[in-house]
Amino acid sequence: MEEKTKHPAFEQPYDKNIKVWRYMNLEKLKDLISTQELYLSRVDCLKDKHEGSKPKPLIEGLREFWKSQVFGDKVLDWWSQIAKQTTESAYVNCWRIDTHESNLMWNNYVKGGEIGIVIQTTYDKLLDSINYDDSIYLGKIKYIDFEKEYWSPDNNAFFPIMHKRKEFESEQEVRIVKSDPTYWGLGSPDSPKGVRCKWDFNKTVENIYINPSCTQEEFDEIKKYLASNNVNITPQWSSLKREPEFG
């Protein structure tokens, strides 16, 4: 585990016992419980089209260097293809690191009318849950100004995966990342849009919270489902469900 946490692309939190959260709808929760597997999405299939891209100063520096070199145009084209290939061979599962629930995340990840769930564990437990596989990493996303900032050295395929634009900083994201060497090279076979890795739900998850917009009947159905599927966690209402107090 120590080797994973020392990887330069995967920044670790100061407090490994800090809470982490994953927001989802009921369908995804049931899939997670029934399969005991995490689903990791291919990076280029995520909503942000800038995922896996590089900041402007890095790109401009590369272009400046190669424009005067023999076959420079071909090298730049090859470099661009490799960069895109990287996003098609890397898979991620996203969590939020925070001490409390987030109303922003409820709104972003649970559509109107859906039954929303958030599962909560600690960073350390999440790290332990993937420790069986040396090809899976966990770390905090670094948010930078892609117009002005960059990372150095630019020699690791994980850096573009673990950096996002400042505009997304409110997400406070930590990522589980798996890269598959089967699809690294140009001309590799088409990669799947997602991969799965085994995951012990009961051992990893500490709490399950239900979206405050759910009805009591929906809450009771979730509670019944969890019990019938040997989940040893009693669900709770989201803290946003609490009634206000005055005076």
Side-chain angles (χ1 to χ4, degrees):
M1 182 186 297
E2 183 177 357
E3 184 177 338
K4 287 187 178 186
T5 60
K6 297 298 182 182
H7 194 293
F10 293 90
E11 181 180 336
Q12 302 298 306
Y14 175 75
D15 179 8
K16 295 288 180 60
N17 288 314
I18 191 170
K19 293 178 181 179
V20 291
W21 314 73
R22 181 162 171 80
Y23 293 79
M24 64 188 72
N25 57 31
L26 182 58
E27 181 182 353
K28 290 183 178 179
L29 176 72
K30 289 183 175 180
D31 179 79
L32 184 56
I33 292 171
S34 64
T35 64
Q36 292 293 298
E37 294 175 333
L38 280 179
Y39 181 81
L40 285 71
S41 299
R42 201 173 72 190
V43 171
D44 66 322
C45 294
L46 300 177
K47 291 182 179 180
D48 180 15
K49 63 182 180 180
H50 291 264
E51 287 280 2
S53 66
K54 296 189 178 185
K56 186 176 180 180
L58 277 180
I59 295 173
E60 289 183 340
L62 189 69
R63 287 173 176 165
E64 181 68 23
F65 174 78
W66 283 107
K67 70 179 183 180
S68 61
Q69 305 298 312
V70 177
F71 303 119
D73 289 342
K74 290 185 178 180
V75 173
L76 284 172
D77 181 62
W78 173 82
W79 176 81
S80 178
Q81 292 180 56
I82 287 293
K84 291 179 180 178
Q85 188 70 26
T86 298
T87 67
E88 296 178 6
S89 62
Y91 299 86
V92 301
N93 183 271
C94 307
W95 295 67
R96 177 181 176 84
I97 187 167
D98 202 354
T99 55
H100 295 84
E101 287 179 57
S102 166
N103 186 57
L104 173 67
M105 293 296 103
W106 278 123
N107 293 332
N108 284 353
Y109 286 91
V110 180
K111 299 177 182 178
E114 288 185 327
I115 298 176
I117 310 288
V118 60
I119 57 176
Q120 175 265 310
T121 185
T122 64
Y123 188 91
D124 199 42
K125 284 187 177 181
L126 187 59
L127 184 61
D128 186 61
S129 74
I130 59 167
N131 193 42
Y132 66 90
D133 189 334
D134 290 339
S135 69
I136 304 178
Y137 291 83
L138 176 67
K140 294 171 57 181
I141 288 290
K142 295 181 181 179
Y143 300 93
I144 65 173
D145 183 342
F146 267 49
E147 294 296 310
K148 300 177 181 178
E149 299 178 84
Y150 59 92
W151 54 80
S152 179
D154 181 31
N155 61 356
N156 191 290
F158 283 127
F159 279 104
I161 307 302
M162 293 305 294
H163 284 78
K164 293 184 70 170
R165 292 175 293 160
K166 276 283 189 180
E167 291 86 342
F168 290 85
E169 195 166 16
S170 60
E171 293 180 350
Q172 298 185 46
E173 184 180 339
V174 296
R175 274 187 174 173
I176 295 172
V177 180
K178 180 179 178 65
S179 183
D180 192 334
T182 306
Y183 309 106
W184 284 353
L186 296 179
S188 298
D190 291 340
S191 54
K193 293 187 176 181
V195 297
R196 291 177 177 269
C197 64
K198 66 179 182 179
W199 203 68
D200 192 324
F201 189 95
N202 275 333
K203 183 179 178 181
T204 308
V205 177
E206 291 187 340
N207 292 293
I208 300 173
Y209 297 95
I210 311 302
N211 192 323
S213 64
C214 288
T215 65
Q216 184 63 51
E217 290 76 15
E218 289 171 330
F219 181 95
D220 293 339
E221 282 299 313
I222 296 170
K223 185 176 180 180
K224 181 179 178 181
Y225 169 81
L226 293 173
S228 64
N229 283 272
N230 301 313
V231 176
N232 56 14
I233 303 168
T234 301
Q236 305 173 57
W237 280 111
S238 161
S239 60
L240 295 172
K241 184 77 169 178
R242 296 170 188 158
E243 293 295 326
E245 297 183 20
F246 301 95

